[in-house]
Amino acid sequence: MRLTLSVIKADIGGYVGHSSSHPDIVELGRKSMEKAKKDGLLIDFHVTWCGDDLQLIMTHTLGEDNEKIHKLAWETFEAGTELARKLKLYGAGQDLLSDAFSGNVKGMGPGVAEMTFDERPSEPVIVFMADKTSAGSWNLPLYKIFADPFNTAGLVIAENLHAGFSFEIHDVKEHKQITMNAPEEIYSMLVFMGAPSRYAVKAVYSRGTGEIAAASSTQRLSLIAGRYVGKDDPVCVVRSQGNFPAVGEVLEPFAFPQIVEGWMRGSHHGPFMPVSLAQANPTRFDGPPRVIAMGFQLANGRLIGPRDMFDDPSYDKAREQANEIADYLRRHGPFEPHRLPLEEMEYTTMSLVMKKLAGRFKEL
Ligand code: F6R
Ligand code: MG
Ligand code: MG
């Protein structure tokens, strides 16, 4: 069956501060999805959270960018915001950048990752969700999963992966996109993918079959709003097994706690820590940045699951390493490279300080 998997998320209020989500907000999300399922709009859904972000995972047959699905998500976030205001949760409605819905949530604040495909006889999918980081944080794991034979053995030894994958890369500042092929174009590809604050992988396709393999949210909140309103806290959906990398190959890159931007005030570099849902409540210096992975088997659009994929001692070492890196980086205090370079910082007092000191700067 032809199916669309939509993951739409927003931070509509934190509990406590920006650290997590209030159970009543998650419950409100579930009720709203339940109603849409009863009304026949959705086949199935799963509502969860990562830190202060509410995550709506939905299956349906209406395709991507569908007005009804996006409206459902938007109205759920609006109702959640109302409840967040009643509870006086922190930053209520933070990611809703517009007052009125206009057909699609893109460009309005929420993050969106959607893909449409024919459900295979068995369809394992992994939904990755992050908090306290930005859209480009999937670049490194997606490269490893779909282009690096040192991560994905299947690229070398499995016939159905051997043709490689193509990467749709978005320039989030210039609003341009390019599709490049691995393995033959990896050197050029990495020129872009290695600069994740500007270039983000939007989708990955199998070159053997043309099928969609992965889709991510690439919205950069600060670029949409023109000011700081919170980090992007992106999501990414990856199909697995058969013509795609195995579940273990999809999860493997996260055993390396890469350094990403985000963390405190969206203005620091920190380690990307893979955690179970129970640990997805960033509190140390509002971090460090977290990623959770929810695994599902699809059954005619039904979401069988989730399995909490990082709830596994084999990621203990990555968490330990992430904590060590966090200690090390924190000791830099307000110095780069812990603090982001000036042009990437989401918070800055530069213009204020410059104005105050204007008369005291002398020509060299
Ligand atoms: C980062 C984040 C937090 C806040 C910080 C200050 O994405 O959400 O680190 O930036 O807690 O928040 P405000 O300015 O709302 O007091
Ligand atoms: Mg927040
Ligand atoms: Mg968040």
Side-chain angles (χ1 to χ4, degrees):
M1 99 184 267
R2 193 122 184 108
L3 198 72
T4 301
L5 175 57
S6 300
V7 184
I8 307 186
K9 52 77 50 183
D11 175 353
I12 51 169
Y15 169 64
V16 169
H18 291 279
S19 67
S20 192
S21 301
H22 193 282
D24 291 359
I25 300 283
V26 179
E27 190 49 35
L28 178 146
R30 278 193 194 119
K31 286 207 174 110
S32 166
M33 297 288 108
E34 188 63 58
K35 182 173 179 301
K37 187 176 168 180
K38 274 206 189 100
D39 293 347
L41 186 56
L42 298 181
I43 304 174
D44 205 0
F45 68 88
H46 179 73
V47 175
T48 189
W49 70 94
C50 182
D52 55 5
D53 292 85
L54 180 67
Q55 310 280 348
L56 310 176
I57 302 170
M58 301 169 278
T59 54
H60 54 91
T61 53
L62 299 175
E64 292 153 43
D65 291 325
N66 180 270
E67 182 164 349
K68 286 183 184 155
I69 299 296
H70 281 231
K71 190 159 188 255
L72 167 66
W74 182 260
E75 288 178 350
T76 304
F77 294 140
E78 277 191 330
T81 296
E82 215 170 290
L83 177 58
R85 288 205 174 109
K86 274 194 196 125
L87 298 172
K88 293 189 71 173
L89 297 181
Y90 197 72
Q94 179 185 287
D95 287 356
L96 306 189
L97 304 181
S98 169
D99 292 332
F101 178 73
S102 58
N104 193 303
V105 297
K106 279 187 188 157
M108 297 181 74
V112 186
E114 297 186 293
M115 54 162 73
T116 301
F117 52 86
D118 292 315
E119 185 183 292
R120 295 170 294 164
S122 184
E123 183 68 64
V125 296
I126 313 276
V127 182
F128 293 100
M129 294 161 266
D131 190 35
K132 304 292 182 276
T133 189
S134 59
S137 298
W138 307 124
N139 284 10
L140 186 148
L142 287 173
Y143 177 81
K144 285 191 157 188
I145 296 167
F146 293 105
D148 179 6
F150 281 73
N151 179 87
T152 298
L155 294 168
V156 180
I157 62 176
E159 223 173 277
N160 42 7
L161 271 69
H162 204 67
F165 289 86
S166 60
F167 289 68
E168 181 184 319
I169 300 169
H170 287 197
D171 177 340
V172 294
K173 286 195 178 139
E174 293 290 320
H175 301 288
K176 287 183 181 151
Q177 65 170 72
I178 182 169
T179 298
M180 303 186 85
N181 289 329
E184 52 292 19
E185 293 185 293
I186 55 170
Y187 294 167
S188 302
M189 237 168 73
L190 285 170
V191 172
F192 303 110
M193 284 174 72
S197 58
R198 167 108 186 229
Y199 299 95
V201 177
K202 179 67 187 170
V204 180
Y205 296 89
S206 158
R207 293 175 68 198
T209 64
E211 284 178 290
I212 180 92
S216 81
S217 62
T218 49
Q219 291 80 4
R220 289 219 56 185
L221 269 175
S222 56
L223 296 180
I224 296 170
R227 64 192 154 86
Y228 181 69
V229 282
K231 261 302 179 204
D232 314 326
D233 301 340
V235 290
C236 181
V237 184
V238 181
R239 297 171 76 194
S240 173
Q241 305 290 152
N243 292 335
F244 305 112
V247 165
E249 290 166 332
V250 171
L251 298 173
E252 175 67 6
F254 296 91
F256 162 58
Q258 64 157 323
I259 291 187
V260 295
E261 60 173 58
W263 208 347
M264 176 58 78
R265 297 178 192 272
S267 303
H268 293 80
H269 281 121
F272 205 23
M273 186 191 260
V275 292
S276 68
L277 183 60
Q279 296 175 326
N281 313 298
T283 51
R284 182 180 179 192
F285 197 56
D286 287 0
R290 306 291 153 112
V291 52
I292 59 169
M294 293 293 143
F296 298 92
Q297 288 288 150
L298 295 182
N300 303 312
R302 276 176 60 217
L303 288 156
I304 310 300
R307 277 220 56 235
D308 189 346
M309 307 305 278
F310 290 142
D311 185 8
D312 179 335
S314 61
Y315 291 92
D316 284 351
K317 186 77 189 214
R319 292 188 270 264
E320 204 181 297
Q321 236 176 33
N323 276 326
E324 268 169 37
I325 295 165
D327 276 340
Y328 176 79
L329 284 172
R330 284 297 302 122
R331 284 161 68 188
H332 291 76
F335 283 75
E336 296 178 12
H338 182 30
R339 194 180 83 175
L340 294 188
L342 284 178
E343 62 279 9
E344 293 298 333
M345 273 198 312
E346 307 282 10
Y347 276 62
T348 180
T349 44
M350 184 60 104
S351 59
L352 185 88
V353 174
M354 277 301 213
K355 216 164 145 191
K356 262 208 255 176
L357 301 182
R360 289 169 56 187
F361 269 101
K362 311 273 181 251
E363 293 301 323
L364 277 177

